[in-house]
Amino acid sequence: MHKLFLLLFSFITLISVAQTDSSHYVHGSFIEDSLHIGENIHFTLSVRYPKDQIAIFPDSSSHYFPFEYINKKYVPTRTDSLFAYDSVIYVLASYEVINKQFLSVPVKFIYQKDTQTLYSIKDSMLLKRLVTEHSERDVKADALLVPTPEKFNYPYLIAIIASGLTILFLLYKMFGDILLTRYRLFILRRAHNKFIKHYDDLVKEFNDTNELRLVEQIITSWKNYLTRLEDIPINTYTTKELIHLFEQEELESTLQSIDRNVYGGMITTDISDSLQVIKRFTHRRFQTRRRYLTGG
């Protein structure tokens, strides 16, 4: 009895609404009768209303649950002496696993300052499942793990190399000259210390033995070092050419004294002093070269 009362009440309400708003007609329906998850479907919305009013249809910001808005297409408005007729086709998609899905959309009618909203009668769509309970069991039973070969990420490697090269280039542009100068000074200092040690060893050996061949060896080693230090072929220069190159009286008298000892086959008392003069001269040339590299 209670259900019968509800049915009679609903029927009376629908009749009253139809009588009070017979000038408006809103109808929405799906073109398709079923869908798959993620598949595009079409929903048509047809409207009739007095032509002196404005109809506003749902847009992309409206709610279509359980469907999602994809696109829409308007059909040009038609009119007669009393009414205007509009139609819109909505492209929708659903990702809900609901067997039967319903949709009802609102249309707003504006006349002067009044607004009226009417909903289309709910239309339904059936979900077509590709996987049933039985097929799920089959899939689980037959599922096997397949090893996936690992692939090297070459774009990632190229990006790292490119970034590294860019950083190195920027560092070189900012600090390249400083680093290069420091490296050259390091090489220069190491070569000088190595020469001085070798030079002192030869001088000590000469002082112990007084062999003239050691003097020749000392002068040869000295010329070879100056060749690298000055970046000119000093090891091919004669004593006269060396004196002319550096134009120092102290060096001139020293080299002449050494030549008298070597070519005369005799050792004088000033030979040790001459070797120390050469050492001091070499150290001054090293300092000059060092100042040149640092720009000081």
Side-chain angles (χ1 to χ4, degrees), residues 185-199:
L185 288 174
F186 170 76
I187 297 298
L188 183 69
R189 188 181 303 108
R190 187 176 67 173
H192 182 71
N193 293 336
K194 183 179 179 181
F195 165 74
I196 293 298
K197 183 179 183 307
H198 181 63
Y199 187 89

Side-chain angles (χ1 to χ4, degrees), residues 153-166:
N153 195 338
Y154 287 102
Y156 185 70
L157 176 62
I158 293 173
I160 291 177
I161 294 175
S163 300
L165 292 176
T166 302

Side-chain angles (χ1 to χ4, degrees), residues 33-175:
D33 56 1
S34 61
L35 78 157
H36 294 104
I37 291 179
E39 178 185 24
N40 287 353
I41 56 173
H42 301 84
F43 181 83
T44 60
L45 182 61
S46 302
V47 175
R48 184 195 66 197
Y49 56 96
K51 65 179 184 179
D52 59 348
Q53 297 184 9
I54 298 174
I56 300 178
F57 287 81
D59 57 13
S60 59
S61 62
S62 302
H63 297 285
Y64 301 88
F65 185 82
F67 303 94
E68 293 188 12
Y69 175 87
I70 304 296
N71 203 347
K72 67 180 177 180
K73 180 181 179 181
Y74 282 104
V75 176
T77 302
R78 296 182 299 104
T79 59
D80 57 22
S81 59
L82 296 176
F83 300 104
Y85 303 88
D86 279 331
S87 182
V88 181
I89 299 176
Y90 292 89
V91 181
L92 307 173
S94 176
Y95 298 92
E96 300 292 332
V97 288
I98 303 173
N99 291 330
K100 195 171 185 179
Q101 304 182 15
F102 298 88
L103 180 64
S104 175
V105 296
V107 179
K108 291 183 179 180
F109 299 96
I110 300 176
Y111 178 68
Q112 295 180 355
K113 294 184 179 181
D114 295 330
T115 301
Q116 181 181 12
T117 302
L118 297 178
Y119 282 81
S120 66
I121 298 175
K122 286 185 178 181
D123 195 17
S124 63
M125 287 284 287
L126 294 176
L127 175 65
K128 282 187 176 181
R129 294 177 177 268
L130 298 177
V131 179
T132 64
E133 294 181 0
H134 297 289
S135 60
E136 287 179 359
R137 288 197 295 269
D138 295 337
V139 170
K140 291 178 182 178
D142 297 338
L144 295 175
L145 294 177
V146 178
T148 303
E150 294 185 2
K151 293 185 178 181
F152 191 78
N153 195 338
Y154 287 102
Y156 185 70
L157 176 62
I158 293 173
I160 291 177
I161 294 175
S163 300
L165 292 176
T166 302
I167 293 173
L168 289 176
F169 175 76
L170 293 176
L171 289 176
Y172 174 77
K173 295 296 290 184
M174 291 187 293
F175 307 107

